[in-house]
Amino acid sequence: MGFWLIMLFVSLRLRWLAWRNPVFRRALQRRNTLMLWRTHDGRIARWFHFTENRVRSGPGLRDRCHVTVSFHDAEYGTATLIQLLKNQRVFVTGMRQRKIRLSGNPKGLIWFMNVVAGHLIPGGVQLWRKPSRPQGTVKPRRRDQG
């Protein structure tokens, strides 16, 4: 259920971004990519079609996808997608363990990870934790603290 729900929310967020975010709309220009995210057995699947200024999505399997990302099972897919927010190496580790299979053009997945994934969470990855100051910056003093 978690994997299905995450995929649904990702599709809603991508559609909203294509409608409202000018930076994301520029990333979609000259793009015609059909991606499929699924479990190995195909019980849970969702396709994403990225076209110029638009993202369409739907449940189920789809033929002739440019990129297919297949997870071992729904639980592993859910855990990986949640951990992916903090550490993108989790995806590579899953591919080495053969729990994540990639078929099709890997450039589409690289584009998704580098361009699209950064827009998925409102406010960036630091949604659940307080943003920290960069190292070397000093907290400004108030005038009365001399």
Side-chain angles (χ1 to χ4, degrees):
M1 175 82 176
F3 184 68
W4 178 84
L5 197 58
I6 288 174
M7 291 289 100
L8 177 65
F9 284 128
V10 166
S11 70
L12 293 173
R13 176 73 176 154
L14 290 174
R15 289 175 64 194
W16 186 87
L17 285 167
W19 178 51
R20 301 284 300 209
N21 189 320
V23 175
F24 187 72
R25 291 181 91 170
R26 273 182 289 211
L28 290 176
Q29 288 183 356
R30 292 175 306 227
R31 177 73 44 192
N32 185 13
T33 304
L34 185 60
M35 292 185 81
L36 178 67
W37 293 70
R38 59 175 283 184
T39 57
H40 285 338
D41 61 6
R43 292 178 59 192
I44 302 173
R46 187 158 203 88
W47 55 268
F48 301 94
H49 192 185
F50 300 95
T51 58
E52 194 161 332
N53 296 328
R54 188 170 183 188
V55 177
R56 293 184 0 207
S57 176
L61 298 173
R62 190 95 189 248
D63 291 336
R64 298 188 201 125
C65 291
H66 298 112
V67 179
T68 301
V69 180
S70 180
F71 293 94
H72 176 68
D73 57 16
E75 289 81 23
Y76 182 77
T78 302
T80 302
L81 291 175
I82 290 172
Q83 291 176 12
L84 190 64
L85 300 174
K86 297 176 186 171
N87 183 6
Q88 289 189 350
R89 293 182 185 193
V90 171
F91 203 83
V92 175
T93 304
M95 290 175 68
R96 285 186 187 147
Q97 296 173 350
R98 298 188 187 262
K99 291 186 177 185
I100 300 174
R101 294 183 194 153
L102 177 64
S103 63
N105 188 354
K107 287 182 182 179
L109 181 64
I110 292 170
W111 172 79
F112 185 87
M113 294 298 219
N114 290 336
V115 177
V116 177
H119 292 283
L120 286 177
I121 298 175
V125 173
Q126 298 196 6
L127 182 66
W128 292 287
R129 57 191 154 135
K130 185 177 178 181
S132 61
R133 270 192 305 263
Q135 283 187 341
T137 60
V138 179
K139 183 177 178 181
R141 290 186 162 192
R142 292 185 358 204
R143 285 188 163 190
D144 59 337
Q145 287 182 339

